[in-house]
């Protein structure tokens, strides 16, 4: 029988010379035998430049936080099967050590699925390379890959568990599984895998819906529910198995919702009424000696192509600010100081809480003129031929763009059909001149009619805008929306003609491409995407100054939709539709006192002036989508 940790701990008390370092009973967490309340906040290291971890954690401690809750993103740690990333932001060990140095505990949330606005919920794309993969279920290949992931993660972190003198208190099993499924065989297998590699208490986290809580529960694992006191009542009502009872944690006390791209998508601002409600939730929870995880304490940034999507089409913005008390640029906000005052009311030794670090002003950056350099063909890394288009995953491509080209053998005309549905956005060209856009963002993507002559070249450029990150069994999503594949696979036709023999070119663009070729002459309206480049100087920084004095918000004026790199770092996507109109540019990736390069891939180029501009505040605006369908089905 798999006994819960508080039973094991109680049994051990009779033989241990001292109590276990961290355990719990029915109502209370016990840290070195004394009652302990987690005043926690969510902060994910992989959303923050590693140079800034110390300052972010120092700000957390100064707010009265004693525990950091952190997701780990499998797809970032193991971007290709068997290849563990050495990027500094993926050094979770160092993050936990820095937290330890700051006197902070850590609750680890490793998934394997985490959600959190990430591409495919943090699952690595390569799980789908062999076809339709049944993830989050009792599927041997999936569980085998998960075992390897947890084993490697534990090899890095096991010595940092509190049972071994470290600061990791607990580890979460899966994430909000009850909103997805009810496969008990899978849950038990994942519980046993996690407990094999970690020896601290385990917990599950589900949203405050009775069905979700019931279906997410795992015997012998502490059941945690988000939603504050109402969630606590639901947990106690629904979970009757005493092996999953224990003290309450508001597992995700949401401050605000994340933002999504779209012409009608407004920025989720935090008004006074919402703040007052949040203050009430914090006080009610902490005054009853229940624990809390402020979500997000610091949201950070979904850099590059790491954002996921809802319902397969509505993509999260690069900013994961969440209106957090510590904003995306790491500066403390007015709500930070308000919430700090409320939290300190519940801390016995409040004088031991340090003062918050002073905010460092952001840098303004004069206009950097961007000049066209080459087309997207300059970013192509590999080309193959195939009778029909192929998904990018089958070609070992995780993100970015894929170009399908067909040389017309016989004249044809009619409606273009490209596979079962857009995955996610198809820009249609004939002889490199744009004919329209089929975008899965819209319930009724545009219908494109073509008239092709013999010798014409049809080009279909597909943008992967993010794999579905969250599946809710109550939202009636069809299985097609759970399908992670991007690009086109299967029959492409125009009218009655099936088009065979394709040239397939890969342009991953996760890192700044090694560009080749030069644009000759002007850029015509409707041309294929173009790379623009510009250079700029930033001030020097002396050894006693923080690089965060070079932080800025980068806006691409004159651009419509595209991707931005600074030096070799992929900041992420920009879109004129909004609501996000600027990208957080950390000074940590800049080179003080020398030339820095900004590279932009503009998907809708023309002969207009494009400028990169660094601003000291973020702009939130909405604009019409120039590629929106005129009406349903047209």
């Amino acid at each position: 029988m798999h006994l819960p940790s508080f039973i094991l701990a109680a049994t051990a008390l009779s033989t241990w010379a001292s109590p276990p370092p961290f355990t719990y009973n029915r109502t209370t967490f016990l840290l070195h035998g004394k009652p302990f309340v987690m005043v926690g906040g969510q902060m994910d290291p992989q959303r923050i430049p590693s140079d800034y971890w110390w300052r972010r954690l120092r700000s957390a401690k100064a707010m009265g936080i004693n525990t950091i809750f952190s997701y780990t993103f499998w797809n970032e740690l193991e971007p290709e099967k068997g290849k563990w990333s050495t990027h500094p932001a993926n050094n979770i060990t160092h993050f936990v050590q820095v937290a330890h140095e700051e006197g902070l505990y850590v609750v680890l949330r490793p998934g394997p699925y985490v959600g959190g606005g990430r591409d495919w919920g943090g699952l690595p794309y390569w799980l789908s390379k062999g076809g339709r993969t049944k993830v989050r279920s009792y599927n041997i290949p999936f569980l085998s890959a998960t075992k390897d992931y947890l084993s490697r993660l534990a090899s890095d972190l096991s010595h940092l568990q509190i049972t071994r003198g470290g600061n990791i208190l607990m580890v979460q099993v899966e994430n909000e599984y009850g909103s997805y499924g009810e496969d008990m065989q899978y849950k038990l297998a994942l519980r046993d895998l996690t407990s094999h590699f970690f020896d601290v208490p385990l917990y599950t986290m589900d949203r405050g819906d009775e069905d979700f809580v019931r279906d997410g529960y795992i015997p012998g694992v502490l059941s945690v529910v988000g939603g504050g006191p109402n969630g606590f009542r639901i947990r106690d009502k629904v979970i009757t198995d005493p092996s999953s009872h224990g003290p309450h944690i508001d597992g995700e006390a949401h401050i605000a919702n994340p933002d999504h791209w779209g012409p009608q998508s407004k920025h989720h601002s935090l008004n006074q009424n919402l703040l007052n409600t949040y203050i009430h939730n914090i006080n009610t929870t902490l005054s009853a000696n229940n624990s809390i995880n402020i979500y997000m304490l610091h949201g950070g940034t979904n850099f590059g192509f790491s954002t996921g999507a809802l319902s397969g089409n509505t993509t999260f913005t690069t900013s994961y600010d969440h209106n957090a008390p510590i904003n995306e640029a790491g500066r403390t906000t007015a709500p930070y100081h308000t919430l700090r005052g409320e939290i300190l009311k519940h801390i016995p030794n409040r004088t031991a809480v340090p003062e918050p670090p002073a905010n460092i002003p952001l840098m303004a950056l004069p206009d950097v003129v961007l000049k066209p350099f080459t087309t997207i063909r300059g970013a192509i890394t590999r080309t193959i031929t195939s009778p029909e288009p192929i998904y990018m995953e089958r070609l070992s491509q995780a993100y970015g763009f894929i170009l399908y080209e067909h040389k017309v053998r016989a004249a044809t005309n009619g409606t273009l059909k490209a596979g079962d549905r857009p995955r996610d956005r198809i820009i249609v060209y004939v002889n490199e001149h744009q004919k329209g856009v089929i975008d899965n963002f819209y319930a009724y993507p545009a219908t494109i009619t073509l008239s092709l002559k013999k010798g014409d070249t049809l080009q279909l450029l597909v943008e992967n805008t993010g794999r579905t990150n969250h599946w809710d069994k109550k939202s009636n999503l069809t299985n097609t929306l759970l399908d992670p594949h991007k690009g086109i696979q299967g029959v492409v036709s125009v009218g009655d003609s099936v088009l065979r023999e394709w040239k397939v070119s890969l342009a991953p663009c996760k890192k700044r491409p090694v560009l080749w070729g030069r644009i000759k002459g002007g850029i015509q309206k409707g041309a294929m995407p173009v790379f623009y480049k510009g250079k700029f100087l930033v001030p020097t920084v002396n050894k006693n100054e923080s690089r965060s004095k070079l932080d800025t918000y980068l806006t691409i004026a004159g651009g419509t939709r595209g991707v931005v790199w600074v030096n070799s770092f992929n900041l992420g996507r920009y879109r004129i539709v909004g609501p996000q109109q600027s990208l957080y540019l950390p000074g940590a990736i800049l080179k003080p006192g020398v030339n820095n390069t900004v590279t932009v891939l503009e998907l809708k180029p023309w002969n207009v002036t494009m400028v990169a501009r660094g601003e000291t505040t973020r702009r939130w605006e909405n604009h019409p989508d120039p590629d929106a369908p005129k009406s349903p089905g047209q």
Side-chain angles (χ1 to χ4, degrees):
M1 178 181 178
H2 189 93
L3 296 174
S5 58
F6 72 89
I7 292 178
L8 292 173
T11 304
L13 283 174
S14 61
T15 58
W16 284 34
S18 59
F22 184 74
T23 185
Y24 58 90
N25 57 34
R26 180 64 182 85
T27 60
T28 308
F29 289 109
L30 300 170
L31 181 63
H32 302 298
K34 297 180 180 179
F36 179 71
V37 173
M38 284 183 244
V39 184
Q42 186 83 19
M43 184 183 295
D44 304 325
Q46 291 159 290
R47 300 191 214 256
I48 310 167
S50 59
D51 305 65
Y52 294 165
W53 286 345
W54 173 84
R55 190 175 182 86
R56 303 292 193 271
L57 290 167
R58 177 65 58 90
S59 296
K61 185 173 183 179
M63 188 172 157
I65 298 296
N66 60 29
T67 306
I68 299 296
F69 287 68
S70 291
Y71 285 135
T72 62
F73 306 128
W74 181 6
N75 56 358
E76 297 289 334
L77 291 168
E78 192 180 9
E80 298 292 341
K81 184 173 176 59
K83 296 180 181 179
W84 203 255
S85 172
T86 58
H87 190 280
N90 292 324
N91 189 347
I92 310 300
T93 302
H94 182 53
F95 178 81
V96 176
Q97 289 171 332
V98 174
H100 199 184
E101 292 168 6
E102 289 301 312
L104 293 164
Y105 297 101
V106 171
V107 171
L108 200 64
R109 309 181 71 188
Y113 163 87
V114 298
R118 302 295 282 195
D119 184 85
W120 211 18
L123 298 172
Y125 91 97
W126 48 260
L127 288 171
S128 69
K129 284 174 67 173
R132 193 174 182 81
T133 301
K134 195 173 184 182
V135 299
R136 305 186 78 189
S137 64
Y138 192 82
N139 174 276
I140 298 303
F142 175 64
L143 287 171
S144 177
T146 299
K147 179 182 177 181
D148 291 343
Y149 158 61
L150 291 175
S151 174
R152 174 55 196 267
L153 191 65
S155 71
D156 291 344
L157 295 173
S158 59
H159 69 287
L160 293 171
Q161 297 176 101
I162 195 164
T163 49
R164 307 184 192 188
N167 56 328
I168 297 176
L169 298 179
M170 301 179 71
V171 175
Q172 183 178 325
V173 182
E174 247 273 359
N175 186 49
E176 298 187 0
Y177 186 75
S179 64
Y180 173 77
E182 49 194 86
D183 184 344
M184 182 60 78
Q185 192 177 16
Y186 165 64
K187 292 186 292 181
L188 292 174
L190 193 57
R191 175 200 69 185
D192 293 345
L193 276 178
T194 309
S195 64
H196 176 75
F197 294 115
F198 295 95
D199 50 30
V200 293
L202 307 180
Y203 77 103
T204 58
M205 210 301 289
D206 288 281
R207 287 178 285 149
D209 176 288
E210 290 190 13
D211 290 340
F212 294 169
V213 174
R214 184 182 297 109
D215 292 340
Y217 131 87
I218 306 174
V221 177
L222 176 65
S223 176
V224 167
V225 181
N230 185 56
F232 303 159
R233 288 189 289 270
I234 291 173
R235 199 282 302 268
D236 290 344
K237 172 185 176 183
V238 168
I239 303 302
T240 58
D241 182 351
S243 74
S244 290
H245 284 178
H248 286 295
I249 309 173
D250 187 344
E252 286 188 7
H254 283 256
I255 290 180
N257 291 320
D259 294 308
H260 305 89
W261 293 112
Q264 305 301 322
S265 298
K266 302 299 183 184
H267 171 55
H268 292 106
S269 58
L270 183 65
N271 59 41
Q272 190 60 48
N273 288 336
L274 287 174
L275 183 60
N276 290 340
T277 300
Y278 200 76
I279 290 170
H280 176 75
N281 179 42
I282 286 179
N283 285 323
T284 303
T285 300
L286 295 180
S287 62
N289 291 320
N290 292 314
S291 296
I292 194 168
N293 173 25
I294 295 173
Y295 192 100
M296 299 289 296
L297 173 65
H298 171 54
T301 310
N302 292 315
F303 290 112
F305 298 140
S306 62
T307 53
L310 287 175
S311 304
N313 55 12
T314 305
T315 306
F316 289 95
T317 59
T318 299
S319 171
Y320 204 64
D321 186 88
H322 256 277
N323 267 288
I326 304 170
N327 70 18
E328 186 180 2
R331 275 65 176 177
T332 58
T333 64
Y336 171 96
H337 296 281
T338 300
L339 295 178
R340 180 178 187 267
E342 298 299 324
I343 289 170
L344 291 183
K345 295 176 182 177
H346 303 276
I347 296 178
N349 187 17
R350 67 188 68 178
T351 57
V353 177
E355 288 299 311
N359 284 338
I360 299 172
L362 276 73
M363 175 184 70
L365 185 66
D367 288 1
V368 179
V369 176
L370 303 173
K371 297 181 179 180
F373 180 74
T374 188
T375 71
I376 193 169
R377 291 190 183 279
I380 290 172
T381 58
R382 182 161 68 104
T383 298
I384 67 162
T385 57
S386 173
E388 294 180 343
I390 304 173
Y391 290 143
M392 62 170 58
E393 292 84 358
R394 289 185 59 194
L395 299 172
S396 298
Q397 180 177 335
Y399 309 103
F401 303 84
I402 187 165
L403 175 64
Y404 304 94
E405 297 182 277
H406 170 78
K407 194 79 167 180
V408 178
R409 296 178 177 179
T412 185
N413 62 79
T415 299
L416 170 68
K417 293 184 179 179
D420 58 347
R421 61 185 175 90
R423 296 166 180 265
D424 299 299
R425 188 171 184 267
I426 305 173
I427 312 177
V428 181
Y429 303 89
V430 175
N431 301 327
E432 301 199 0
H433 184 79
Q434 184 175 318
K435 296 296 182 182
V437 176
I438 307 173
D439 194 337
N440 195 43
F441 172 81
Y442 295 98
Y444 299 97
T447 298
I448 296 178
T449 301
L450 299 174
S451 180
L452 301 176
K453 304 187 298 295
K454 181 179 178 180
D456 284 346
T457 301
L458 172 64
Q459 288 115 352
L460 306 177
L461 179 65
V462 182
E463 178 187 3
N464 171 358
T465 63
R467 294 174 182 85
T468 302
N469 129 99
H470 179 77
W471 307 282
D472 188 331
K473 62 190 178 187
K474 291 193 174 185
S475 64
N476 298 316
L477 297 181
T478 62
N479 285 335
T480 57
L481 294 180
L482 311 185
D483 181 345
H485 298 118
K486 298 301 181 183
I488 300 170
Q489 179 159 305
V491 172
V492 174
S493 62
V494 173
D496 295 329
S497 300
V498 175
L499 307 182
R500 301 197 184 278
E501 300 304 324
W502 291 82
K503 185 167 69 171
V504 183
S505 299
L506 310 183
C509 293
K510 184 177 183 181
K511 297 180 180 179
R512 184 180 64 180
V514 178
L515 303 175
W516 53 269
R518 287 275 185 177
I519 287 180
K520 297 179 180 179
I523 300 171
Q524 301 302 312
K525 187 174 183 179
M528 294 187 77
V530 168
F531 282 97
Y532 293 75
K533 293 174 72 173
K535 293 186 177 182
F536 60 96
L537 284 168
V538 295
T540 57
V541 177
N542 67 49
K543 62 181 181 179
N544 297 319
E545 291 182 305
S546 169
R547 291 280 286 278
S548 61
K549 68 175 288 187
L550 304 179
D551 290 357
T552 190
Y553 288 109
L554 195 69
T555 300
I556 306 300
T560 299
R561 180 184 182 122
V563 185
V564 181
W565 296 262
V566 172
N567 297 328
S568 60
F569 190 85
N570 188 336
L571 288 187
R573 300 180 177 96
Y574 65 91
R575 298 182 186 177
I576 195 173
V577 296
Q580 179 181 332
Q581 294 295 333
S582 44
L583 297 169
Y584 171 52
L585 170 54
I589 69 172
L590 295 176
K591 302 172 183 177
V594 298
N595 273 329
N596 293 258
T597 301
V598 56
T599 306
V600 173
L601 174 62
E602 170 58 43
L603 299 181
K604 201 176 179 67
W606 197 19
N607 275 328
V608 296
T609 300
M610 287 184 58
V611 170
R613 180 181 303 129
E615 300 174 325
T616 58
T617 57
R618 180 188 294 289
R619 289 192 295 114
W620 302 99
E621 299 172 8
N622 284 86
H623 303 279
D625 181 358
D627 293 319
K630 294 180 181 179
S631 60
Q634 293 185 359

